[in-house]
Amino acid sequence: MTFEPEQLGQSSQELATKLRELRKLAGLSGVRLAARCNMSQSKVSRIENGKVRPSLVDVEQILRALDAPPHMIAEVSALARLANTEWRNLRELRRKGLGTRQAELKALEASSTRLRYFLLSMVTGLLATPEYVRASLAHSPTDTSKAVAGKLARQAVLYDASKQFTFILTEQAVRWPVVSPLALAEQMDRLSSLSYLPNVRIGLIPAGAPTPTNPLNTFTTYDTSLATIETSAGLLVLRDDRDVSSYLEEFSGYEESALFEEDAREKLAEWSASCRS
């Protein structure tokens, strides 16, 4: 099945309808299908009504229970992949407004407990100084005042002790000259200060440090249920368990390569002194 990026995330209802049709063709009730899949009947009902987005594993279980033919397995599995993957291009993000995007991120952070951020080229807004935040949005063609306020307001979540944050930054992300050298030194000082929070881990990967794979993109994982990948053209949102797991595994590899705690603070102090000189 071929598709355009804009189709991603838009096939949920089509998937629900197809699964319901297949169940009826197989002559099974929702109760019998649920028993075969070891699911609750209410979950099967919510999937068929488009109220719950099934994972690829859920869909595979249902297709096996229905003894679906190979061509139908391929078609429905492709629909499931589309339903669990969403693409947001920059035009869409700008049309909705950067302030709206900050509200979406705030909701994601509020609903998650374990958050992991791999930062390849810049410091995330959660860790940024006000000057860094404003400079990071300076090239936007739209009004950024609400976005700046939203980014700064979101930082309060770092002090929620019920949540655990791990940030891994490359040396490039920390030292990229988004602001003047003095302001960049202040940004590094803030990273060092935040690393003392008991629920915040900040790791650094110095240039030249070996990593298990070559990092290609900035990405974030929210618990084990969602991953977002940032590219220069837009944002990719993954909800399938196996896709999210692959990014969690990649993140774990970077953790092994990173400096944490006092080692990280010493490196930040070295880079900060270099900026001030």
Side-chain angles (χ1 to χ4, degrees):
M1 175 181 288
T2 60
F3 56 88
E4 297 298 324
E6 288 75 13
Q7 291 178 265
L8 294 172
Q10 298 180 1
S11 58
S12 296
Q13 194 56 53
E14 185 180 354
L15 173 63
T17 300
K18 183 68 68 175
L19 291 173
R20 183 169 62 251
E21 290 175 351
L22 286 174
R23 175 181 60 77
K24 291 180 177 179
L25 284 174
L28 292 179
S29 67
V31 173
R32 289 184 62 193
L33 176 60
R36 288 190 179 187
C37 296
N38 196 29
M39 291 181 188
S40 67
Q41 190 276 329
S42 61
K43 179 176 181 179
V44 169
S45 177
R46 291 195 299 273
I47 288 174
E48 291 187 354
N49 287 305
K51 295 180 179 179
V52 167
R53 190 194 314 263
S55 68
L56 291 182
V57 174
D58 290 333
V59 171
E60 288 174 356
Q61 287 181 310
I62 291 172
L63 292 174
R64 282 198 300 268
L66 296 174
D67 196 23
H71 75 279
M72 190 58 66
I73 290 175
E75 179 182 341
V76 176
S77 295
L79 281 175
R81 172 68 69 179
L82 289 175
N84 281 280
T85 307
E86 181 180 352
W87 169 251
R88 298 184 181 183
N89 61 45
L90 286 179
R91 295 188 304 277
E92 177 189 353
L93 294 173
R94 288 169 178 165
R95 184 171 61 250
K96 293 177 67 175
L98 296 177
T100 300
R101 173 61 182 159
Q102 295 308 308
E104 292 176 349
L105 289 172
K106 185 176 182 179
L108 270 176
E109 290 153 2
S111 63
S112 305
T113 301
R114 187 75 174 85
L115 302 96
R116 302 169 176 86
Y117 301 78
F118 177 72
L119 306 169
L120 179 62
S121 57
M122 288 181 67
V123 175
T124 179
L126 283 181
L127 303 176
T129 63
E131 185 169 352
Y132 192 102
V133 169
R134 287 190 290 269
S136 70
L137 296 172
H139 300 294
S140 173
T142 60
D143 178 35
T144 61
S145 57
K146 290 184 178 179
V148 170
K151 280 178 178 282
L152 296 177
R154 282 173 47 218
Q155 294 177 356
V157 76
L158 294 175
Y159 301 90
D160 183 344
S162 69
K163 301 180 184 297
Q164 296 292 319
F165 297 87
T166 303
F167 300 89
I168 297 179
L169 301 92
T170 66
E171 180 174 344
Q172 172 179 300
V174 177
R175 305 186 73 174
W176 191 260
V178 176
V179 289
S180 67
L182 180 58
L184 193 59
E186 292 171 352
Q187 175 60 69
M188 294 173 187
D189 294 344
R190 174 168 170 76
L191 294 177
S192 182
S193 176
L194 290 172
S195 72
Y196 285 102
L197 291 175
N199 62 322
V200 174
R201 298 177 70 230
I202 295 180
L204 307 177
I205 300 180
T211 56
T213 186
N214 294 325
L216 298 175
N217 297 101
T218 287
F219 65 87
T220 305
T221 63
Y222 299 88
D223 295 326
T224 59
S225 58
L226 188 145
T228 61
I229 299 91
E230 298 179 31
T231 75
S232 58
L235 183 73
L236 191 63
V237 182
L238 304 176
R239 295 183 179 87
D240 184 75
D241 292 345
R242 286 175 290 190
D243 291 333
V244 177
S245 293
S246 70
Y247 277 93
L248 289 172
E249 182 179 351
E250 183 175 345
F251 190 89
S252 294
Y254 296 142
E255 277 188 290
E256 294 179 3
S257 300
L259 304 175
F260 286 94
E261 298 180 346
E262 199 55 43
D263 289 336
R265 288 189 282 269
E266 287 179 3
K267 186 61 70 174
L268 286 168
E270 173 190 325
W271 295 340
S272 176
S274 176
C275 288
R276 288 187 164 93
S277 66

